[in-house]
Amino acid sequence: MSVASPPLPESILWPTAQQELLLAAATGGADSAPDAFRAWRAGINLEDAFDRGTYRLLPLLYSNMQRIGLKDPLMARLKGVYRKEWCTTHELFHAFKPMLAALEGHGIRTLQVKGAPLALTYYRNYAARPMADADVVVPRDQVPRALEILESLGWQPEYRPSPEDLKFRHAVWVADPKGRSIDLHWHFLYDACNDDADTHFWSSVRALDFVGVPTRQLDPTNMLLHTIIHGVRSNPEPPIRWIPDALIIIDSHRAEIDWNGMLAFARSQKLAYRLGLGLKYLARQHHAPVPQDVLERLPPRPSLLERTENTVALAERERLYANVFLKQWVIFAEYCRIAHGAGRIGFLIGFSHYLRYRWGLRGRREMIPMIASGLVRRLRWGPG
């Protein structure tokens, strides 16, 4: 079994019918999962390459079918995928351990999100939650020192974050000589690059033993919120991995989830509509035990900020970036979140500064010549 390069699925936000069957087989109980497995198996061509989103669910599918005791010739092939991902995750953890130990040993406060804490705390299975990299969060003021430590170990960042990068971006990609990588975050969410959000996430962290290195992870409430907000957005990889992640967080730590606190934080960050899309989907399609009163208090419509942002977050990014004018709309939509709460004058001044930053210019004076040259090119060659 191999992985195909995307095309985008039928929907860029929700699973296709075939993916829904796979999800039901990978996460369901003995009363429903075998039938879903057979229906999914009947609708696929085993000789075709799977999209990456589907492929990453195959170890979980094997684990669930093995638990149920399903007998099927496909199980032998699924076992091969399962063992491969088990080995890959072990190899990655072994490579990440010295890096994480060095950061902690030099007084850098680290926290892991997404793959590693999900594998260790929730799935408790190295194969069931495949991962290609690690996502490590450090406080923003410790990023320069953290990068110095990583570089001393042979890890190289794709760029050296400037003060503006630390303000407007949320992470930097860092790789070792063998191509293994981590995303070093200073903000927890791409959608919430602000001190209030970071303080909220850091305020209730829990310990995580990463193969002998003490680090941290989010509590179940914030882990669930982070999983949904990160998952409910357009992505070249089919949008299905977040769904079993969210389900296992709810199933394993249901009593610890602060639903009211989650909703209050999402409202404060203007993320309640996207959170609602995810929670309503989980409750409707997978019968997740989300309290009814929480579902009723979720906003039926997005705020003006969310509506603007969602034209980008829930749209096909490749189409947006293929058009020069839509590309500028992406920048404007992202800036609207950054400038939330600024007055009109502050908004306008800040936007010119942000536009200069996104265009890679040294000063605002370079903006008018750049705009003029761009218009001349379009008049001469047409849009493209």
Side-chain angles (χ1 to χ4, degrees):
M1 295 182 179
S2 58
V3 186
S5 56
L8 289 171
E10 297 171 9
S11 165
I12 61 171
L13 193 58
W14 305 117
T16 64
Q18 277 297 112
Q19 290 166 347
E20 288 288 10
L21 288 172
L22 174 58
L23 286 163
T27 64
D31 58 334
S32 60
D35 288 342
F37 175 88
R38 296 183 186 100
W40 170 76
R41 191 191 191 297
I44 61 171
N45 183 346
L46 294 176
E47 303 310 315
D48 286 347
F50 290 108
D51 63 76
R52 178 158 171 76
T54 295
Y55 183 84
R56 292 177 71 207
L57 282 184
L58 297 183
L60 182 62
L61 174 66
Y62 171 78
S63 179
N64 199 36
M65 292 299 99
Q66 184 186 49
R67 178 184 63 82
I68 290 171
L70 181 82
K71 304 297 183 183
D72 188 283
L74 183 58
M75 287 292 285
R77 298 179 69 177
L78 291 175
K79 184 177 182 179
V81 177
Y82 179 93
R83 295 179 68 179
K84 176 179 179 295
E85 294 304 325
W86 187 92
C87 293
T88 298
T89 302
H90 268 277
E91 180 186 359
L92 287 174
F93 281 18
H94 178 75
F96 296 149
K97 179 178 178 178
M99 170 270 298
L100 204 63
L103 292 174
E104 286 286 341
H106 284 84
I108 305 294
R109 194 181 187 207
T110 65
L111 181 146
Q112 294 207 56
V113 291
K114 297 196 284 188
L118 282 163
L120 294 170
T121 300
Y122 297 92
Y123 290 98
R124 302 190 179 210
N125 183 320
Y126 277 61
R129 183 39 170 94
M131 48 188 289
D133 57 12
D135 292 86
V136 180
V137 187
V138 302
R140 182 166 54 168
D141 61 356
Q142 293 188 321
V143 170
R145 178 61 179 143
L147 287 174
E148 289 177 3
I149 295 166
L150 291 176
E151 286 183 294
S152 72
L153 298 174
W155 293 76
Q156 292 297 319
E158 60 176 324
Y159 65 92
R160 268 286 186 170
S162 67
E164 287 182 322
D165 293 327
L166 293 175
K167 178 180 180 181
F168 296 133
R169 296 184 181 233
H170 76 297
V172 61
W173 181 78
V174 187
D176 75 357
K178 294 186 177 180
R180 293 168 297 215
S181 64
I182 66 168
D183 283 333
L184 186 70
H185 297 249
W186 48 90
H187 295 302
F188 283 82
L189 280 171
Y190 174 86
D191 316 86
C193 295
N194 62 76
D195 291 339
D196 288 344
D198 294 337
T199 298
H200 169 84
F201 284 118
W202 278 113
S203 66
S204 58
V205 301
R206 295 192 174 181
L208 174 66
D209 183 331
F210 183 79
V211 289
V213 178
T215 180
R216 298 157 195 83
Q217 61 184 324
L218 296 172
D219 68 5
T221 300
N222 284 328
M223 193 72 168
L224 178 60
L225 181 144
H226 189 277
T227 298
I228 293 174
I229 296 301
H230 185 268
V232 181
R233 66 177 305 117
S234 65
N235 195 316
E237 181 173 311
I240 54 179
R241 180 69 255 183
W242 73 271
I243 296 165
D245 290 348
L247 291 173
I248 199 167
I249 294 169
I250 296 173
D251 288 345
S252 60
H253 289 70
R254 186 185 315 177
E256 301 176 63
I257 294 175
D258 177 7
W259 297 101
N260 292 330
M262 181 191 302
L263 183 55
F265 173 76
R267 288 185 184 280
S268 73
Q269 293 292 319
K270 305 299 180 185
L271 291 169
Y273 181 74
R274 289 238 317 270
L275 175 66
L277 289 177
L279 288 176
K280 289 173 183 177
Y281 165 83
L282 293 171
R284 179 186 67 251
Q285 196 69 27
H286 295 277
H287 310 292
V290 182
Q292 185 61 34
D293 69 299
V294 172
L295 294 173
E296 291 171 355
R297 285 185 286 128
L298 290 165
R301 292 175 298 277
S303 65
L304 177 59
L305 171 61
E306 288 179 283
R307 192 178 304 122
T308 301
E309 183 180 45
N310 287 348
T311 62
V312 173
L314 306 184
E316 184 182 327
R317 303 281 289 200
E318 288 79 0
R319 180 181 64 84
L320 296 176
Y321 280 104
N323 182 291
V324 66
F325 298 108
L326 291 179
K327 191 185 300 183
Q328 306 318 308
W329 175 256
V330 172
I331 294 175
F332 175 75
E334 291 175 346
Y335 174 72
C336 286
R337 172 166 291 281
I338 293 169
H340 176 63
R344 293 183 181 179
I345 301 299
F347 184 93
L348 292 173
I349 294 174
F351 182 58
S352 67
H353 174 69
Y354 185 67
L355 203 57
R356 175 202 61 75
Y357 163 76
R358 288 296 304 269
W359 286 356
L361 304 178
R362 290 172 295 181
R364 289 188 180 94
R365 293 181 180 179
E366 297 181 3
M367 293 178 67
I368 292 178
M370 182 172 179
I371 292 171
S373 65
L375 288 173
V376 168
R377 284 197 308 271
R378 268 149 200 85
L379 289 172
R380 182 178 300 172
W381 303 108

